[in-house]
Amino acid sequence: MKSDPKLKVDFAGHALQNPVFTASGTCGYADELADFMDVHTLGGFITKSISLEPRKGNPIPRVVETPAGMLNAIGLANMGIERFTTEKLPILKTMAKSGVAIYVNIVGTSVDDYVAVAEQLAPCPGITGFELNISCPNVKKGGISFGTDPAAIEDITSRVKGASGDKTLMVKLTPTVSDITVTARAAVDGGADALSLINTYTAMVIDIETRKPVLGNRTGGLSGPAVKPLAVYLVNRVYQEVTCKTQVPILGLGGICTGDDAMEFIIAGATAVSVGTASFMEPDSCQRVIDGMGDYCRRHNIANISELTGSLG
């Protein structure tokens, strides 16, 4: 089934069949959702993080449910670039041929690591671009340590952009800064083609019987409906103060479960959206969001959903 034409958008120079991506770390490397939905109907797919070498991640337990979401402290566990290119990239190429934009989330413990991953993947066909993950709160080296310093953000973005060839570079931003427009502007100054926001909030759950943190890492990243109003606000701020001046588009994420949730992000200023935590509850959540956005457009006689980006009154 083809996507409703009303949902077609241009995202950083690429035509998407709809504005809905999977969120990195929530839907595996390729077709893990295929038993629950037609993954070829997605607008975009963002892989689980990839580093140069395999990573074991943080000690267990690594996930805990909360009343309005979940905390995760996976610690960027992944199979490494060698296995990714041989085992997963062929599947992703098939998805790309059906019109799905494929973004690889890349991580490292140093700037050179990020650059090396981009250099190795840049020549690979089927990859639309990279999501530069400089905002993970659950690792001691890399991740958020890069994403809170504007100078560091501009530097790493510039270097990875230079290694990315013709691939689009999207920078994923942390919300745990005093002014997200400053870090967003630094990413754009470094050459980012798109911005992804927001990543999770650092949080903690305590077992009151043992008086110890539930997570093996002590803290984790809070995602899900609890963060949605915060994410919508930050997307709108970046749209008003950065996107309107630079035309660099926003991928909005944080607690999206329904088409109506997604429309809040679009109206706030996102060109596209990403669905993550909801997929743990309903594995076909992305399709439900696509359908819900189509219903919204039909109800409101919207000719093209892109008309609504940044339409907040």
Side-chain angles (χ1 to χ4, degrees):
M1 181 179 70
K2 294 184 179 180
S3 300
D4 189 323
K6 292 183 176 69
L7 298 186
K8 292 181 179 178
V9 297
D10 179 281
F11 185 76
H14 296 280
L16 305 182
Q17 52 194 357
N18 61 67
V20 179
F21 286 68
T22 59
S24 174
T26 62
C27 300
Y29 292 106
D31 61 349
E32 283 86 343
L33 293 180
D35 288 341
F36 307 98
M37 62 170 286
D38 182 0
V39 294
H40 300 278
T41 65
L42 289 165
F45 184 92
I46 305 177
T47 71
K48 183 173 170 59
S49 299
I50 293 297
S51 55
L52 275 178
E53 301 295 333
R55 292 179 60 132
K56 292 183 179 180
N58 288 325
I60 57 172
R62 300 197 282 194
V63 177
V64 59
E65 191 173 350
T66 70
M70 61 177 279
L71 266 66
N72 90 84
I74 306 300
L76 304 178
N78 74 90
M79 61 174 52
I81 194 169
E82 183 175 348
R83 283 187 59 198
F84 173 76
T85 54
T86 58
E87 298 177 20
K88 300 299 182 179
L89 198 52
I91 305 172
L92 293 170
K93 288 179 183 178
T94 301
M95 293 171 62
K97 288 179 180 178
S98 66
V100 182
I102 304 297
Y103 280 75
V104 179
N105 183 282
I106 62 175
V107 295
T109 58
S110 69
V111 176
D112 288 342
D113 285 348
Y114 282 91
V115 170
V117 174
E119 285 178 339
Q120 290 190 38
L121 293 177
C124 298
I127 296 175
T128 305
F130 304 124
E131 183 180 52
L132 183 62
N133 190 347
I134 53 171
S135 50
C136 176
N138 303 314
V139 291
K140 294 180 180 179
K141 292 183 178 180
I144 203 170
S145 64
F146 292 117
T148 56
D149 180 348
I153 292 172
E154 183 173 351
D155 177 62
I156 192 171
T157 302
S158 176
R159 290 188 57 187
V160 174
K161 179 63 178 175
S164 298
D166 62 354
K167 309 301 186 192
T168 299
L169 182 62
M170 176 163 56
V171 178
K172 191 168 190 177
L173 300 176
T174 176
T176 55
V177 291
S178 58
D179 188 347
I180 198 170
T181 67
V182 173
T183 52
R185 198 171 294 111
V188 172
D189 289 345
D193 301 299
L195 300 171
S196 172
L197 62 145
I198 59 170
N199 209 326
T200 57
Y201 282 86
T202 303
M204 178 185 286
V205 172
I206 295 173
D207 182 332
I208 61 172
E209 300 303 322
T210 63
R211 289 174 286 167
K212 293 181 180 179
V214 172
L215 293 173
N217 191 58
R218 296 185 67 84
T219 62
L222 176 65
S223 62
V227 308
K228 193 194 77 174
L230 299 164
V232 169
Y233 164 68
L234 293 176
V235 164
N236 184 244
R237 283 206 63 202
V238 172
Y239 175 78
Q240 291 181 323
E241 299 188 34
V242 181
T243 295
C244 285
K245 300 173 183 178
T246 64
Q247 304 306 306
V248 173
I250 297 169
L251 178 69
L253 63 153
I256 296 173
C257 297
T258 67
D260 287 352
D261 292 336
M263 292 311 307
E264 285 194 58
F265 281 83
I266 298 296
I267 294 167
T271 298
V273 298
S274 193
V275 179
T277 300
S279 296
F280 291 103
M281 300 178 287
E282 298 284 350
D284 63 345
S285 287
C286 286
Q287 188 62 60
R288 292 169 184 254
V289 170
I290 294 169
D291 293 343
M293 296 176 84
D295 290 342
Y296 180 93
C297 288
R298 283 187 288 272
R299 290 200 315 270
H300 295 274
N301 297 313
I302 303 299
N304 192 315
I305 198 169
S306 60
E307 299 172 16
L308 296 177
T309 293
S311 60
L312 182 67

